[in-house]
């Protein structure tokens, strides 16, 4: 399946692991440190609550069964106090119901034992990314908050979008959010949920491009034990988790045509069956879908059901690309340098006038996500010094519409892939081939860096095997 976000550069995060089992703690910590996250391990929820009084983290990973205070009790305690972190629950098959309860008390997601290192790393990356869409600091100029969700910008297109969000949030209708990759469609969806009557109930999301059709059906609707090879225990689907709340289907055009018919039924009748079950289940979940493609074009091409399109597009919203609201660039930059400073635990970088002019004039093919990545990268590499135009110029993708001043010709700009390779190789050279330092500076996982270097023809790095985590 197509995935337009596969090359996204993600910044590492601060992760707190709470588990009384030493082998499990060390295994999780090893996996996440390999991905360049900063990891702190604790043995009990009681100890974690004390640490959280003075420390902040992007993510908390907690086991369910622990002496003194269980993971579920821990999450209930976290719900009562500001902590600024996403939470992932680790659970066994027999305790999935408790994990579902944890999500109703604010947990981002849960992961069942045993799990592979790659699955954990992917889930952690999604959780941290979700958390960074939520602004837990005081509102910035041009930002309008809805239950801690901030949509930054005071341009005409953003004012209009915020007005539309406030209008649709008060209804229970299905919403379709469309826009280019990196514009903030997920943030819009979260703002809708935060301003709705369902704000106290879960917002459950599913990133459609990362799953095969077989796994997608199980993730959406759940499955019974023995429903297919590998289904060793029943699984609760995302629609069940979102009952009473909202389900966000991110990049919905990636859903297989056969599965689209089952999704249509849920929208029409509010009913479904788990995979391997004949029992009909009823659900009350508001659906918000996002897409970086025109669904009308997908329908015309035969990739998307027309009847499902009409069910989804009851309340359509369009998120403007950054190039159509460039007057918002300065306030976005100010927001991102503060966020980068908080993560790096130092004063925010200043941005020179020349650098700001360069950023404001850029065409931003990667939109707000590209801007955040560049600001974060500059904050890391400049070690707190001022960010000048010379520091960031080579990172900006040349616009295909830029005209050569000397001969009037339109130059052929480097592709995003070529620009990314040039950035990776120059950063690797700066750190004398040290891959961990390179990955940290770029804000990507070490496995991601190694994979890209391998595709460039670099010799693979020998690495120890990571065992399945079962404790």
């Amino acid at each position: 399946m197509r995935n337009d976000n596969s090359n996204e550069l993600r910044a590492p995060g601060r992760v707190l692991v709470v588990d009384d089992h030493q082998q499990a703690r060390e295994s999780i910590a090893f996996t996440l440190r390999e991905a360049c996250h900063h990891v702190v391990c604790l043995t009990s929820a009681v100890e974690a609550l004390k640490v959280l009084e003075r420390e902040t983290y992007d993510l908390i990973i907690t086991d369910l069964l622990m002496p003194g205070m269980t993971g579920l009790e821990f999450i209930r305690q976290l719900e009562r106090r500001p902590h600024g972190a996403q939470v992932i629950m680790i659970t066994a098959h027999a305790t999935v119901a408790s994990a579902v309860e944890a999500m109703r008390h604010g947990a981002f997601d849960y992961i069942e034992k045993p799990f592979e290192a790659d699955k954990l790393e992917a889930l952690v990356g999604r959780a941290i990314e979700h958390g960074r869409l939520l602004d837990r600091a005081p509102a910035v100029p041009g930002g309008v908050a809805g239950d801690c969700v901030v949509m930054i910008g005071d341009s005409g297109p953003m004012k209009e979008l915020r007005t539309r969000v406030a209008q649709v949030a008060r209804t229970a209708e299905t919403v379709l959010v469309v826009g280019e990759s990196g514009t903030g469609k997920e943030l819009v969806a979260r703002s809708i949920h935060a301003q709705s009557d369902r704000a106290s109930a879960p917002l459950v999301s599913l990133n459609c491009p990362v799953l095969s059709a077989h796994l997608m059906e199980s993730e959406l609707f759940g499955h019974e034990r023995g429903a297919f090879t590998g289904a060793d225990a029943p699984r609760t689907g995302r629609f069940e988790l979102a009952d009473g709340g909202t389900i966000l289907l991110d990049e919905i055009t990636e859903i297989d045509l056969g599965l689209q018919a089952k999704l249509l039924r849920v929208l029409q009748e509010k009913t479904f069956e788990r995979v391997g079950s004949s029992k009909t289940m009823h659900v009350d979940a508001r659906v918000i879908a996002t897409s970086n493609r025109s669904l009308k074009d997908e329908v015309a091409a035969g990739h998307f059901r027309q009847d499902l399109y009409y069910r989804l597009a009851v309340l359509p919203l369009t998120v403007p690309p950054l190039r159509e609201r460039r007057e918002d660039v300065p306030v976005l930059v100010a927001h991102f340098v503060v966020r980068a400073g908080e993560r790096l635990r130092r004063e925010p970088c200043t941005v020179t006038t020349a650098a700001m002019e360069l950023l404001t004039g850029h065409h931003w093919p990667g939109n707000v996500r590209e801007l955040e990545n560049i600001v974060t990268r500059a904050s890391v590499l400049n070690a707190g010094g001022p960010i000048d135009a010379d520091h960031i110029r080579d990172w900006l993708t040349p616009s295909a519409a830029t005209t050569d001043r000397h001969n009037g010709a339109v130059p052929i700009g480097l592709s995003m892939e070529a620009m990314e390779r040039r950035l990776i190789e120059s950063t690797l050279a700066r750190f004398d081939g040290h891959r961990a330092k390179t990955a940290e500076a770029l804000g990507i996982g070490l496995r991601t860096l190694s994979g890209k270097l391998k595709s460039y023809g670099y010799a693979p790095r020998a690495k120890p095997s990571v065992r399945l985590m079962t404790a």
Side-chain angles (χ1 to χ4, degrees):
M1 289 195 285
R2 298 162 294 188
N3 184 354
D4 295 331
N5 299 324
S6 58
N7 291 326
E8 177 186 342
L9 301 179
R10 286 178 175 169
R14 286 173 50 81
V15 182
L16 177 65
V17 178
V18 186
D19 195 321
D20 64 308
H21 194 281
Q22 181 180 358
Q23 184 179 359
R25 283 196 315 274
E26 292 177 351
S27 184
I28 293 171
F30 172 81
T31 298
L32 299 184
R33 285 168 181 153
E34 280 283 282
C36 292
H37 296 290
H38 174 74
V39 184
V40 173
C41 294
L42 298 175
T43 59
S44 74
V46 174
E47 184 183 10
L49 289 173
K50 293 179 181 178
V51 169
L52 289 168
E53 291 177 357
R54 61 182 187 274
E55 299 286 344
T56 59
Y57 295 89
D58 297 300
L59 177 68
I60 300 170
I61 300 176
T62 178
D63 193 17
L64 174 61
L65 301 178
M66 296 183 291
M69 180 184 293
T70 68
L72 184 55
E73 292 170 339
F74 178 38
I75 289 176
R76 286 171 176 160
Q77 288 289 327
L78 292 175
E79 190 179 24
R80 301 189 186 106
R81 62 181 74 189
H83 56 85
Q86 297 295 299
V87 181
I88 292 174
M89 168 77 80
I90 301 174
T91 182
H93 295 312
T95 55
V96 168
S98 296
V100 174
E101 181 67 16
M103 292 184 68
R104 297 191 182 278
H105 287 278
F108 172 76
D109 208 339
Y110 69 93
I111 187 168
E112 295 179 54
K113 304 173 185 177
F115 50 85
E116 297 282 357
D118 288 345
K119 183 176 181 181
L120 174 67
E121 184 179 333
L123 179 57
V124 166
R126 292 198 303 271
I128 291 175
E129 182 184 358
H130 275 263
R132 287 173 180 168
L133 291 173
L134 304 178
D135 190 287
R136 295 177 174 87
V140 296
V144 175
D147 192 21
C148 295
V149 182
V150 168
M151 295 167 55
I152 296 173
D154 202 30
S155 62
M158 285 303 293
K159 288 180 178 178
E160 181 180 352
L161 179 60
R162 283 198 293 268
T163 299
R164 292 290 307 278
V165 165
Q167 290 172 337
V168 305
R170 293 190 289 266
T171 76
E173 300 296 335
T174 302
V175 182
L176 176 63
V177 184
V178 296
E180 297 176 9
S181 294
T183 51
K185 299 185 295 294
E186 184 177 346
L187 180 60
V188 171
R190 289 182 169 274
S191 184
I192 292 170
H193 176 74
Q195 297 180 51
S196 73
D197 294 338
R198 297 170 180 255
S200 60
L203 170 61
V204 178
S205 64
L206 181 65
N207 187 15
C208 299
V210 303
L211 297 173
S212 66
H214 174 67
L215 292 177
M216 178 78 70
E217 184 173 6
S218 174
E219 284 292 328
L220 284 172
F221 308 123
H223 64 249
E224 298 295 342
R225 181 177 181 180
F228 50 84
T229 302
D232 299 325
R235 179 172 180 81
T236 303
R238 302 284 166 151
F239 270 100
E240 286 183 71
L241 293 173
D243 190 28
T246 304
I247 184 168
L248 169 58
L249 302 177
D250 197 18
E251 303 302 349
I252 196 169
T253 54
E254 304 297 337
I255 294 182
D256 182 81
L257 274 171
L259 191 53
Q260 289 177 22
K262 296 185 178 181
L263 181 58
L264 177 64
R265 180 191 170 200
V266 179
L267 292 174
Q268 290 176 329
E269 304 174 14
K270 307 293 185 183
T271 60
F272 66 93
E273 289 83 36
R274 285 184 173 185
V275 179
S277 173
S278 59
K279 179 183 177 181
T280 298
M281 306 186 73
H282 296 263
V283 66
D284 172 27
R286 182 185 194 174
V287 175
I288 302 177
T290 74
S291 176
N292 59 14
R293 300 185 180 90
S294 166
L295 264 67
K296 288 184 178 179
D297 292 345
E298 294 294 298
V299 169
H303 298 151
F304 204 81
R305 292 178 62 109
Q306 187 177 51
D307 48 4
L308 179 57
Y309 163 68
Y310 288 128
R311 279 286 176 179
L312 289 170
V314 176
L315 295 173
L317 294 177
T318 300
V319 185
L322 186 55
R323 62 182 173 275
E324 293 181 4
R325 57 182 189 104
R326 297 189 194 192
E327 58 267 48
D328 291 333
V329 169
V331 71
L332 285 165
V333 170
H335 178 67
F336 292 144
V337 294
V338 170
R339 293 284 295 274
E342 290 173 349
R343 292 198 296 270
L344 296 169
R345 294 180 164 270
R346 62 188 183 214
E347 288 298 313
C349 293
T350 58
V351 181
T352 67
T353 301
M356 190 65 77
E357 289 177 351
L358 183 62
L359 292 170
T360 304
H362 186 52
H363 67 293
W364 297 114
N367 292 293
V368 179
R369 183 184 294 127
E370 181 187 2
L371 175 61
E372 181 178 15
N373 286 340
I374 285 177
V375 172
T376 301
R377 193 178 307 146
S379 297
V380 172
L381 295 180
N382 289 341
I387 299 173
D388 197 11
D390 290 340
H391 298 142
I392 60 177
R393 184 174 284 109
D394 288 345
W395 299 340
L396 301 179
T397 309
S399 171
T402 301
T403 303
D404 188 282
R405 295 178 181 178
H406 300 290
N407 56 25
V410 177
I412 301 176
L414 292 175
S415 67
M416 289 293 287
E417 290 78 10
M419 287 292 295
E420 181 181 79
R421 175 170 181 169
R422 189 168 74 175
L423 172 63
I424 288 175
E425 290 181 331
S426 63
T427 308
L428 185 69
R430 174 173 180 166
F431 289 103
D432 298 323
H434 194 294
R435 296 192 177 192
K437 291 181 180 179
T438 300
E440 182 176 6
L442 292 171
I444 62 176
L446 189 56
R447 287 189 179 84
T448 301
L449 174 64
S450 296
K452 291 182 182 297
L453 291 175
K454 183 178 180 181
S455 71
Y456 303 156
Y458 287 73
R461 179 180 64 93
K463 60 180 181 180
S465 60
V466 179
R467 299 171 59 188
L468 291 178
M469 286 162 276
T470 58

